[in-house]
Short mmCIF file of all heavy atoms in Angstrom, two decimals:
data_model
loop_
_atom_site.label_atom_id
_atom_site.label_comp_id
_atom_site.label_asym_id
_atom_site.label_seq_id
_atom_site.Cartn_x
_atom_site.Cartn_y
_atom_site.Cartn_z
N THR A 120 17.44 -1.43 1.89
CA THR A 120 16.09 -1.46 1.31
C THR A 120 16.16 -1.29 -0.20
O THR A 120 17.04 -0.60 -0.73
CB THR A 120 15.21 -0.33 1.90
OG1 THR A 120 15.90 0.93 1.74
CG2 THR A 120 14.91 -0.58 3.37
N ARG A 121 15.22 -1.92 -0.88
CA ARG A 121 15.12 -1.79 -2.33
C ARG A 121 13.66 -1.82 -2.72
O ARG A 121 12.97 -2.82 -2.49
CB ARG A 121 15.88 -2.91 -3.03
CG ARG A 121 15.99 -2.70 -4.54
CD ARG A 121 16.94 -3.66 -5.20
NE ARG A 121 16.36 -4.99 -5.34
CZ ARG A 121 16.98 -6.11 -4.98
NH1 ARG A 121 18.17 -6.07 -4.42
NH2 ARG A 121 16.40 -7.27 -5.16
N ASP A 122 13.16 -0.71 -3.26
CA ASP A 122 11.76 -0.70 -3.68
C ASP A 122 11.61 -1.39 -5.03
O ASP A 122 12.59 -1.84 -5.63
CB ASP A 122 11.18 0.72 -3.69
CG ASP A 122 11.81 1.61 -4.75
OD1 ASP A 122 12.43 1.10 -5.70
OD2 ASP A 122 11.69 2.85 -4.64
N HIS A 123 10.36 -1.48 -5.52
CA HIS A 123 10.10 -2.24 -6.74
C HIS A 123 10.47 -1.48 -8.01
O HIS A 123 10.38 -2.03 -9.11
CB HIS A 123 8.65 -2.70 -6.80
CG HIS A 123 7.66 -1.59 -6.56
ND1 HIS A 123 7.55 -0.49 -7.36
CD2 HIS A 123 6.71 -1.45 -5.60
CE1 HIS A 123 6.58 0.30 -6.91
NE2 HIS A 123 6.06 -0.26 -5.85
N GLY A 124 10.86 -0.23 -7.89
CA GLY A 124 11.37 0.51 -9.03
C GLY A 124 10.32 1.15 -9.92
O GLY A 124 10.66 1.75 -10.93
N ARG A 125 9.04 1.01 -9.55
CA ARG A 125 7.96 1.61 -10.37
C ARG A 125 7.28 2.68 -9.54
O ARG A 125 6.20 2.47 -8.97
CB ARG A 125 6.96 0.54 -10.78
CG ARG A 125 7.54 -0.57 -11.64
CD ARG A 125 7.65 -0.14 -13.08
NE ARG A 125 8.11 -1.22 -13.94
CZ ARG A 125 8.13 -1.16 -15.25
NH1 ARG A 125 7.72 -0.06 -15.86
NH2 ARG A 125 8.57 -2.17 -15.96
N ARG A 126 7.90 3.83 -9.45
CA ARG A 126 7.36 4.90 -8.62
C ARG A 126 6.35 5.73 -9.42
O ARG A 126 6.41 5.81 -10.63
CB ARG A 126 8.48 5.79 -8.09
CG ARG A 126 9.50 5.02 -7.25
CD ARG A 126 10.55 5.94 -6.66
NE ARG A 126 11.64 5.18 -6.06
CZ ARG A 126 12.70 5.72 -5.47
NH1 ARG A 126 12.80 7.04 -5.39
NH2 ARG A 126 13.65 4.96 -4.95
N HIS A 127 5.42 6.34 -8.68
CA HIS A 127 4.42 7.24 -9.25
C HIS A 127 3.51 6.53 -10.25
O HIS A 127 3.07 7.10 -11.23
CB HIS A 127 5.10 8.44 -9.92
CG HIS A 127 6.10 9.12 -9.03
ND1 HIS A 127 5.76 9.68 -7.82
CD2 HIS A 127 7.45 9.27 -9.15
CE1 HIS A 127 6.85 10.18 -7.25
NE2 HIS A 127 7.87 9.93 -8.03
N MET A 128 3.24 5.25 -9.99
CA MET A 128 2.29 4.50 -10.81
C MET A 128 1.18 3.90 -9.95
O MET A 128 0.53 2.94 -10.35
CB MET A 128 2.99 3.39 -11.59
CG MET A 128 3.74 3.88 -12.81
SD MET A 128 4.22 2.53 -13.94
CE MET A 128 2.63 2.05 -14.61
N GLY A 129 0.98 4.42 -8.76
CA GLY A 129 -0.09 3.91 -7.92
C GLY A 129 0.23 2.58 -7.27
O GLY A 129 -0.68 1.87 -6.82
N LEU A 130 1.52 2.22 -7.19
CA LEU A 130 1.92 0.93 -6.64
C LEU A 130 2.45 1.02 -5.22
O LEU A 130 2.92 0.03 -4.67
CB LEU A 130 2.99 0.30 -7.54
CG LEU A 130 2.46 -0.29 -8.85
CD1 LEU A 130 3.59 -0.49 -9.84
CD2 LEU A 130 1.76 -1.62 -8.59
N GLY A 131 2.40 2.18 -4.61
CA GLY A 131 2.75 2.31 -3.20
C GLY A 131 4.16 1.90 -2.88
O GLY A 131 4.39 1.10 -1.97
N SER A 132 5.16 2.46 -3.59
CA SER A 132 6.54 2.05 -3.35
C SER A 132 7.00 2.38 -1.93
O SER A 132 7.79 1.63 -1.34
CB SER A 132 7.48 2.69 -4.38
OG SER A 132 7.43 4.10 -4.30
N SER A 133 6.52 3.49 -1.38
CA SER A 133 6.94 3.86 -0.02
C SER A 133 6.39 2.89 1.01
O SER A 133 7.14 2.38 1.87
CB SER A 133 6.47 5.28 0.32
OG SER A 133 7.10 6.23 -0.51
N VAL A 134 5.10 2.60 0.95
CA VAL A 134 4.53 1.71 1.97
C VAL A 134 5.03 0.28 1.79
O VAL A 134 5.22 -0.45 2.77
CB VAL A 134 2.98 1.77 1.96
CG1 VAL A 134 2.39 1.08 0.74
CG2 VAL A 134 2.42 1.17 3.24
N ALA A 135 5.30 -0.14 0.55
CA ALA A 135 5.86 -1.48 0.35
C ALA A 135 7.26 -1.58 0.95
O ALA A 135 7.61 -2.58 1.58
CB ALA A 135 5.89 -1.82 -1.14
N THR A 136 8.07 -0.54 0.78
CA THR A 136 9.41 -0.53 1.36
C THR A 136 9.34 -0.55 2.88
O THR A 136 10.07 -1.29 3.55
CB THR A 136 10.19 0.70 0.88
OG1 THR A 136 10.25 0.71 -0.55
CG2 THR A 136 11.59 0.72 1.44
N LEU A 137 8.46 0.27 3.44
CA LEU A 137 8.30 0.30 4.90
C LEU A 137 7.82 -1.05 5.43
O LEU A 137 8.27 -1.50 6.49
CB LEU A 137 7.31 1.40 5.28
CG LEU A 137 7.83 2.84 5.16
CD1 LEU A 137 6.67 3.82 5.23
CD2 LEU A 137 8.84 3.15 6.26
N THR A 138 6.94 -1.70 4.70
CA THR A 138 6.42 -3.00 5.14
C THR A 138 7.51 -4.05 5.14
O THR A 138 7.65 -4.83 6.10
CB THR A 138 5.26 -3.44 4.23
OG1 THR A 138 4.21 -2.44 4.28
CG2 THR A 138 4.68 -4.77 4.68
N ALA A 139 8.31 -4.09 4.08
CA ALA A 139 9.41 -5.06 4.03
C ALA A 139 10.42 -4.78 5.14
O ALA A 139 10.90 -5.71 5.81
CB ALA A 139 10.09 -5.01 2.67
#
Side-chain angles (χ1 to χ4, degrees):
T120 53
R121 189 170 76 228
D122 67 19
H123 51 61
R125 298 279 184 171
R126 301 184 190 180
H127 310 299
M128 282 194 71
L130 285 162
S132 60
S133 295
V134 72
T136 303
L137 287 166
T138 301

